[in-house]
Amino acid sequence: MNVRSFQLSDYRLLTALLADVLTEECYEQTMEAFARQLSWDSELVLVALYESEVVGVIIGTIDNNTGYYYRVAVHADHQRQGIGKALIESLRLRFQQRQVKKILITADEHNEAVLPLYESLGYVSKDFFRSFQQLSIIAG
């Protein structure tokens, strides 16, 4: 498995992955945030590849020296194999390279199921940004 920055050639496969993994409402919100993040800083959108297939994605953003994990998604056939953890760790390293002061996890109604994944990596409830604002509002 390889984690790298999003490339335009990933777009079709990535949107198909998100459509498969996310609910319709979550997909619509995520696609809006994804488009905005690509226009701001595509280096904070990472994809996981397995044998050249896009199997995971993480979308992050930075606002006022705070890094936010916005959405992580892994294809159902590849879950529980460490891909989500690898994506989170790779984005954490990007945040460190950018010298963010604090990292928060967006804990909206769509992310509740993955909060234990973050906890397994050492994040605690004070690291969860419980807001129903969309990424465009957070980083806008």
Side-chain angles (χ1 to χ4, degrees), residues 2-82:
N2 179 39
V3 175
R4 62 161 168 75
S5 297
F6 170 83
Q7 297 173 356
L8 192 54
S9 61
D10 299 326
Y11 186 82
R12 187 181 54 77
L13 297 173
L14 187 91
T15 56
L17 167 77
L18 291 171
D20 285 345
V21 173
L22 305 176
T23 65
E24 186 175 333
E25 178 186 3
C26 183
Y27 174 80
E28 289 174 16
Q29 289 177 8
T30 301
M31 289 308 296
E32 287 178 26
F34 173 59
R36 285 187 180 97
Q37 187 58 38
L38 288 180
S39 71
W40 292 328
D41 187 349
S42 64
E43 291 294 311
L44 297 177
V45 177
L46 304 178
V47 297
L49 300 168
Y50 179 76
E51 296 180 359
S52 74
E53 176 187 357
V54 174
V55 296
V57 62
I58 191 164
I59 301 169
T61 194
I62 297 174
D63 183 38
N64 292 325
N65 288 323
T66 299
Y68 292 89
Y69 296 108
Y70 176 69
R71 188 79 69 224
V72 61
V74 176
H75 190 280
D77 293 344
H78 297 274
Q79 291 178 2
R80 308 224 183 293
Q81 297 176 21

Side-chain angles (χ1 to χ4, degrees), residues 69-72 88 104-125 127-130:
Y69 296 108
Y70 176 69
R71 188 79 69 224
V72 61
I88 292 166
L104 295 174
I105 297 100
T106 303
D108 63 15
E109 69 271 27
H110 305 296
N111 275 350
E112 289 295 326
V114 297
L115 295 183
L117 173 62
Y118 288 101
E119 290 171 335
S120 75
L121 293 168
Y123 292 95
V124 295
S125 61
D127 300 320
F128 300 152
F129 180 69
R130 296 193 181 275

